[in-house]
Amino acid sequence: MKGMSMKLVLRDAGIGIALLLLIVFFSLSTEHFLTPNNISNILTQITINLILAIGMTFVILIGGIDLSVGSMLAFCAVVAGTVLTIPDLSVFVAVGLATLAAIGTGVVCGFLNGWISAFWGLPSFIVTLGMLNIARGAALQVTDARTIYSFPQSFNAFGSQMVFGVPVVFLIALALVAVAWFVLSKTVFGRLLYGIGNNEEAVRLAGHSLMVYKVAAFTIAGALVGIAAMVYMARLNIASPIIGIGFELNAIAAVIIGGTSLSGGRGTVIGTLLGACIIGVLANGLILFGLSDFMRQMITGVVIILAVIIDKYRERITAA
Amino acid sequence: MKLFTAASILALSLATALPTVAFAADKPVVGLVMKSLANDFFKNMLEGAEAHAKKRGDYELKAIGMQNETDFESQLNGVENFITQGVDAIVIAPADSRAMVAPLKKAMDAGITVVNFDVSLDEQAKKDAGIDLAFVGPDNRGGAKMVGEALAKALGEGGKVVILEGNPGADNAAQRKLGFEDAIAAGKLNLLDSRTAHWETEEANSVFSTMLTAHPDIQGVMAANDSMAIGVVKALDAAGRSDIKVVGFDNVSAVAPLLKDGKLLATVDQFGSQMAADAIDKALEVVAGGPKLEGWIKTNIELVTKDNVK
């Protein structure tokens, strides 16, 4: 057990060094990268992806995938937006109910993803592809394809609140990372998720219900989508049924760059945090560097592939 | 309860997806092919067309849309279904200005009156296919120039601006960018940077924040649609920069409060709700034996500012 966590620390350290090199590069090559304003911009920009990626880490650790998070984000947002704009509610009550509605919607969708794939033994790739369409369609249906806006002023202001130059929304994401880290590395539940990713059969033979853990992983991912939806609304002050298209791919990229294996069983949420940072630093730094949009997209692609190649080598070294 | 709602939503969308088979034999049938129904602009357009069909009452409207703006395969299938059903006219907002030329030629060969609106088909592709087709639609380039000039007037010569572009490769995105550039040249503005945010609020927010870091001296922003302008306004709020002026495009309802607060200087209304209805009128004239349509029939556009926002 001790050796294993040591290896995990080593894996994360590698990704941390890559992030550090990027930061050093952009600090030297661009004028504005290492300024307090830009740092807090980057932190704001990675927040939503980070929250989605935390949930995605749970799902990928058990060897699954969730393609529906972008659509679910829109569905959670429009449900919460509808609640938030109910007239004559006090701000406190409206925000509280909206948060419950967002998380509730995410939990239901996530539960269905997990339950359907576990009960019928279906690949989560297909089930969540279905949910991708269901959630998007539902978001469009409940809003009649319209954007919801005019949220309470204090809610809108909350999205750009700072504490010592750090965006509050990022602090929320960081707290979620801490909770996820604790759950995954310090609880029996967490260790069993790793176990399922490594050797499903062994976990089942040990007398554990695979169903419960699989459903739990997807439900957790769904709940996090609900939280991300609230953050989106606080940050941009709208809830539209067409938001979040392609967000699942960015979340998956953060998890993979963060060193979690797509086949499950290996990886940490700290890695995911670093992966999300790498994506955010690249997106920001390359604009400051003056690179064209198309080159920027290509480089992000190269980084994803590099991360997987490096992971192959790391796997060999740490396995030895 | 949640489950029940989800199920009823599903049932409802299935029910509305079923084709309407009942034709009134005497009335001409118009097949309306829309782009994404998943945004306010096309939604208004469809509602405008439905209201129009009810008001005129002398034709049958059958409308189809698609999942998103790049899903042109479902448009293709839609056109082919209309040909099979033998509609009298097809009125189409093409998802791709080249890919849709071939199926529309097939429709014309089958004797169907075709009217192209919203996004113009590619001239060269039309020539290659040997078809001559009129276009009913707004001048995206002209509209972008108009709103760009409003910004230029507010900033004065030498004003430093950035552009947020729509999807690379989309025709209206390219036209709007050209219009912005026209306004920049005419107003002698200084263009610092131009980047895509894929029509998206969140991406525009991130991309613009970073552009502002790179160029803190930005004075004006031209966003190719209002969704992106909303993201820019929010970024300016967060950065505490009320000195920077923003213009958008489309006049979606969510920007009305921003126009009133002065956070958005101006946007452009293309009267999407009338556009499809206008194109249907033109098509019905031809179906009734009127002369063939030619060239570019421009539809109304209007600059919307604090003074005339509703």
Side-chain angles (χ1 to χ4, degrees):
Chain A
M1 207 63 185
K2 186 121 195 148
M4 174 150 184
S5 52
M6 194 59 213
K7 276 177 196 169
L8 289 176
V9 169
L10 275 178
R11 293 165 59 85
D12 289 345
I15 306 153
I17 290 167
L19 176 61
L20 213 60
L21 287 176
L22 272 180
I23 292 174
V24 169
F25 172 77
F26 286 125
S27 303
L28 297 176
S29 62
T30 70
E31 191 182 341
H32 299 284
F33 182 81
L34 210 60
T35 56
N37 265 340
N38 195 48
I39 304 289
S40 60
N41 271 344
I42 295 176
L43 296 180
T44 307
Q45 288 162 15
I46 65 173
T47 298
I48 291 169
N49 188 30
L50 175 57
I51 297 175
L52 296 177
I54 295 168
M56 191 67 78
T57 309
F58 279 82
V59 172
I60 293 182
L61 276 177
I62 62 162
I65 195 99
D66 189 345
L67 300 179
S68 64
V69 297
S71 297
M72 275 164 59
L73 182 83
F75 188 31
C76 293
V78 297
V79 171
T82 309
V83 173
L84 197 53
T85 47
I86 294 174
D88 307 323
L89 281 185
S90 77
V91 177
F92 187 73
V93 175
V95 173
L97 286 179
T99 310
L100 281 179
I103 296 176
T105 307
V107 162
V108 171
C109 294
F111 175 86
L112 287 175
N113 276 338
W115 183 70
I116 293 169
S117 40
F119 188 80
W120 280 286
L122 300 171
S124 52
F125 182 89
I126 302 298
V127 175
T128 57
L129 187 62
M131 183 56 78
L132 179 154
N133 286 299
I134 294 170
R136 180 70 63 192
L140 288 162
Q141 186 71 41
V142 296
T143 55
D144 198 16
R146 306 225 175 255
T147 300
I148 304 170
Y149 58 99
S150 34
F151 301 146
Q153 198 50 48
S154 49
F155 175 75
N156 287 348
F158 177 75
S160 29
Q161 214 74 259
M162 300 274 179
V163 178
F164 302 114
V166 182
V168 170
V169 288
F170 179 74
L171 292 177
I172 294 174
L174 216 52
L176 292 170
V177 169
V179 172
W181 172 82
F182 179 82
V183 169
L184 284 175
S185 55
K186 301 289 171 200
T187 65
V188 177
F189 171 76
R191 303 319 300 175
L192 279 171
L193 291 184
Y194 280 96
I196 290 173
N198 276 321
N199 190 343
E200 211 174 282
E201 201 48 26
V203 175
R204 198 183 62 81
L205 289 176
H208 300 284
S209 156
L210 293 176
M211 178 97 174
V212 170
Y213 294 94
K214 284 186 174 175
V215 170
F218 280 94
T219 307
I220 289 168
L224 283 157
V225 174
I227 297 172
M230 289 307 288
V231 169
Y232 188 107
M233 289 159 60
R235 215 187 111 195
L236 295 157
N237 310 155
I238 55 160
S240 149
I242 52 171
I243 64 173
I245 294 170
F247 279 23
E248 58 279 355
L249 300 179
N250 255 339
I252 294 169
V255 176
I256 301 304
I257 291 174
T260 295
S261 162
L262 253 186
S263 48
R266 285 186 303 117
T268 70
V269 72
I270 305 296
T272 298
L273 168 65
L274 296 171
C277 288
I278 287 182
I279 291 177
V281 163
L282 265 181
N284 174 280
L286 291 175
I287 290 182
L288 295 181
F289 195 69
L291 221 60
S292 79
D293 292 330
F294 306 147
M295 289 295 293
R296 212 153 60 91
Q297 193 172 4
M298 285 165 66
I299 288 179
T300 311
V302 169
V303 169
I304 293 172
I305 294 177
L306 270 180
V308 192
I309 294 174
I310 291 170
D311 188 56
K312 272 277 168 217
Y313 283 99
R314 209 167 35 201
E315 193 180 338
R316 263 181 233 164
I317 293 164
T318 47
Chain B
M1 188 60 209
K2 274 258 156 47
L3 257 172
F4 172 73
T5 327
S8 55
I9 285 166
L10 201 69
L12 205 65
S13 40
L14 281 176
T16 46
L18 288 173
T20 29
V21 212
F23 277 74
D26 45 339
K27 289 181 189 173
V29 180
V30 176
L32 176 64
V33 184
M34 311 272 292
K35 290 213 283 187
S36 167
L37 294 181
N39 87 33
D40 287 3
F41 182 70
F42 288 106
K43 195 76 193 171
N44 288 336
M45 200 184 267
L46 179 63
E47 277 167 12
E50 280 165 349
H52 178 261
K54 211 172 215 173
K55 202 172 131 209
R56 273 190 65 142
D58 62 349
Y59 71 97
E60 175 109 17
L61 179 70
K62 294 163 66 88
I64 56 158
M66 49 188 202
Q67 299 255 326
N68 61 57
E69 295 213 10
T70 49
D71 172 27
F72 49 77
E73 191 154 350
S74 47
Q75 270 209 339
L76 206 91
N77 296 340
V79 169
E80 296 201 327
N81 288 342
F82 280 148
I83 297 174
T84 317
Q85 293 166 17
V87 299
D88 297 283
I90 292 177
V91 175
I92 179 169
D96 186 286
S97 57
R98 291 184 189 85
M100 292 314 295
V101 170
L104 290 177
K105 180 179 173 4
K106 207 167 138 194
M108 291 168 82
D109 290 346
I112 297 170
T113 300
V114 176
V115 173
N116 164 212
F117 76 106
D118 182 49
V119 172
S120 164
L121 290 169
D122 187 70
E123 286 305 322
Q124 191 58 43
K126 278 196 276 186
K127 208 178 281 172
D128 291 347
I131 56 169
D132 180 21
L133 197 58
F135 170 58
V136 179
D139 183 355
N140 271 295
R141 184 171 181 170
K145 182 165 187 249
M146 185 163 74
V147 78
E149 279 173 344
L151 180 66
K153 206 173 130 198
L155 297 180
E157 270 184 31
K160 293 171 182 162
V161 297
V162 293
I163 296 177
L164 283 174
E165 306 163 25
N167 276 359
D171 189 58
N172 53 349
Q175 291 298 321
R176 287 176 193 185
K177 190 185 175 195
L178 287 173
F180 287 149
E181 286 168 349
D182 292 344
I184 287 167
K188 299 199 171 60
L189 298 176
N190 185 359
L191 178 64
L192 299 178
D193 202 357
S194 179
R195 289 185 179 277
T196 179
H198 301 98
W199 305 122
E200 248 258 337
T201 306
E202 198 270 343
E203 196 178 341
N205 183 274
S206 293
V207 168
F208 176 74
S209 306
T210 309
M211 283 165 116
L212 186 59
T213 305
H215 310 280
D217 49 344
I218 292 174
Q219 294 170 292
V221 188
M222 300 177 178
N225 76 350
D226 283 343
S227 297
M228 293 192 291
I230 291 170
V232 171
V233 167
K234 194 58 207 168
L236 291 173
D237 273 353
R241 293 285 301 266
S242 53
D243 57 315
I244 298 177
K245 297 193 161 45
V246 187
V247 295
F249 204 114
D250 286 342
N251 193 28
V252 300
S253 55
V255 299
L258 302 180
L259 283 163
K260 284 175 189 152
D261 291 351
K263 288 182 173 177
L264 187 69
L265 181 70
T267 184
V268 180
D269 200 328
Q270 304 193 78
F271 301 101
S273 55
Q274 279 169 39
M275 201 192 296
D278 285 353
I280 291 170
D281 277 337
K282 302 281 179 217
L284 287 172
E285 280 170 28
V286 179
V287 170
K292 197 167 169 289
L293 304 172
E294 269 171 12
W296 180 358
I297 302 153
K298 285 188 188 177
T299 52
N300 205 9
I301 49 173
E302 186 181 71
L303 189 70
V304 182
T305 63
K306 192 195 243 169
D307 303 322
N308 60 346
V309 63
K310 285 182 194 96

